[in-house]
């Protein structure tokens, strides 16, 4: 049974989420503070975590960042803030999705299932070892055989999704890759026009690669078209 960690200091919300997730066959653990959440994760790693942004001892963004230092399970943020920068900040720090309060519990359950499906797909062992392919250019070394990426001698800590995005861009260095193509190649799902998942993960990749926001050295944005790596 898959374990979901719900971190929210509002007991009514946490209990409501627990009811809906339990009805779908998930095991739910709850925490009311960031410290309780970290203790719970240390005791047993969940399959997915739902984090409220407003917590009494640490905000959800900081908690998300702390979790991402050692764990790569999916994280969904719950936020009452609707500003786009808050959403992008959460995703850049390592969250996989967000949902704003008040929310439809059925939508949250659907988001949970989607993230778990993606996580299972990218962490499952394949039937055969990946081909020993690699790229090495301008200080960037990336190997599909070892799933390692080294930039100017520093190994980058990339999630499976981040590695897949960078690998797909490297495989297609000679052309611009559209957001639609990148999403469907990496996530294996139909791209929706309103989907900002690709943009958020590109922002996270650039941050890990220490890329200048205005003039990135590797992943370039071709406005209205997509992305290319140089």
């Amino acid at each position: 049974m898959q374990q979901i960690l719900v971190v929210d200091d509002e007991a009514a919300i946490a209990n409501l989420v627990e009811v809906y997730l339990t009805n779908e066959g998930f095991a739910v653990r709850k925490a009311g503070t960031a410290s309780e959440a970290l203790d719970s994760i240390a005791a047993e790693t969940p399959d997915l975590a739902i984090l409220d942004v407003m917590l009494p001892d640490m905000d959800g963004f900081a908690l998300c960042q702390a979790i991402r230092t050692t764990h790569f399970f999916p994280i969904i943020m719950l936020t009452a803030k609707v500003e786009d920068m808050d959403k992008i900040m959460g995703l850049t720090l390592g969250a996989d999705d967000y949902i704003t309060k008040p929310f439809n519990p059925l939508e949250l359950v659907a988001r949970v299932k989607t993230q778990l499906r993606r996580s299972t797909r990218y962490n499952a062992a394949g039937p055969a070892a990946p081909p020993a392919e690699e790229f090495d250019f301008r200080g960037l070394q990336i190997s599909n055989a070892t799933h390692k990426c080294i930039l100017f001698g520093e190994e980058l800590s990339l999630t499976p999704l981040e590695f897949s995005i960078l690998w797909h861009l490297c495989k297609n260095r000679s052309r611009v890759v559209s957001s639609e193509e990148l999403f469907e190649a990496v996530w294996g799902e139909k791209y929706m026009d309103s989907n900002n998942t690709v943009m958020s993960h590109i922002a996270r990749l650039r941050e890990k690669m220490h890329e200048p926001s205005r003039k990135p050295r590797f992943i370039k944005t071709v406005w209205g078209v997509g992305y290319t790596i140089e």
Side-chain angles (χ1 to χ4, degrees), residues 135-142 149-156 173 209 217-218 230:
F135 295 99
D136 186 350
F137 60 96
R138 294 178 50 228
L140 175 65
Q141 299 171 288
I142 183 168
C149 180
I150 298 174
L151 182 63
F152 301 126
E154 174 191 355
E155 184 173 345
L156 303 182
R173 281 181 61 199
M209 295 173 72
R217 294 165 293 180
F218 290 95
E230 299 177 355

Side-chain angles (χ1 to χ4, degrees), residues 135 168-177 227-230:
F135 295 99
H168 190 79
L169 290 173
C170 287
K171 283 199 307 180
N172 294 276
R173 281 181 61 199
S174 60
R175 64 184 184 86
V176 178
V177 178
Y227 302 94
T228 186
I229 193 162
E230 299 177 355

Side-chain angles (χ1 to χ4, degrees), residues 1-227:
M1 183 180 295
Q2 290 177 301
Q3 299 269 347
I4 310 297
L5 175 63
V6 178
V7 185
D8 198 313
D9 63 335
E10 296 186 58
I13 293 179
N15 292 338
L16 177 66
V17 172
E18 179 183 23
V19 168
Y20 277 84
L21 290 174
T22 301
N23 286 342
E24 293 295 324
F26 296 109
V28 176
R29 288 147 48 197
K30 294 180 292 184
T33 65
S35 60
E36 288 177 7
L38 292 173
D39 288 343
S40 178
I41 292 169
E44 184 179 0
T45 303
D47 294 290
L48 180 145
I50 300 171
L51 312 181
D52 186 29
V53 170
M54 302 300 292
L55 295 171
D57 54 343
M58 178 191 297
D59 69 64
F61 293 136
L63 175 58
C64 177
Q65 195 170 27
I67 292 171
R68 278 290 178 255
T69 60
T70 52
H71 297 281
F72 296 119
F73 53 78
I75 294 175
I76 298 176
M77 305 294 297
L78 292 181
T79 176
K81 299 178 180 180
V82 296
E83 293 85 355
D84 286 343
M85 286 309 298
D86 282 331
K87 299 172 183 178
I88 298 303
M89 179 184 177
L91 291 163
T92 301
L93 290 174
D96 297 278
D97 199 359
Y98 64 86
I99 189 166
T100 55
K101 295 179 179 179
F103 57 87
N104 184 331
L106 293 176
E107 180 185 355
L108 178 59
V109 171
R111 300 278 191 98
V112 166
K113 289 180 177 180
T114 295
Q115 292 301 327
L116 288 171
R117 184 170 64 250
R118 291 173 182 169
S119 177
T120 300
R121 178 170 177 253
Y122 281 95
N123 286 289
E133 300 174 88
E134 64 180 37
F135 295 99
D136 186 350
F137 60 96
R138 294 178 50 228
L140 175 65
Q141 299 171 288
I142 183 168
S143 170
N144 197 36
T146 62
H147 270 238
K148 288 185 177 180
C149 180
I150 298 174
L151 182 63
F152 301 126
E154 174 191 355
E155 184 173 345
L156 303 182
S157 178
L158 303 182
T159 66
L161 281 174
E162 291 165 354
F163 181 91
S164 296
I165 291 171
L166 187 57
W167 179 256
H168 190 79
L169 290 173
C170 287
K171 283 199 307 180
N172 294 276
R173 281 181 61 199
S174 60
R175 64 184 184 86
V176 178
V177 178
S178 69
S179 295
E180 178 179 1
E181 176 190 334
L182 195 54
F183 184 85
E184 293 182 0
V186 173
W187 278 266
E189 298 180 5
K190 185 65 177 176
Y191 179 81
M192 305 298 290
D193 289 340
S194 60
N195 195 323
N196 66 0
T197 303
V198 171
M199 178 184 66
S200 302
H201 280 77
I202 290 290
R204 190 190 310 174
L205 256 178
R206 284 173 171 160
E207 182 178 2
K208 289 187 175 182
M209 295 173 72
H210 311 297
E211 290 269 68
S213 58
R214 295 193 176 185
K215 291 186 177 181
R217 294 165 293 180
F218 290 95
I219 303 175
K220 305 292 182 68
T221 300
V222 181
W223 295 108
V225 183
Y227 302 94

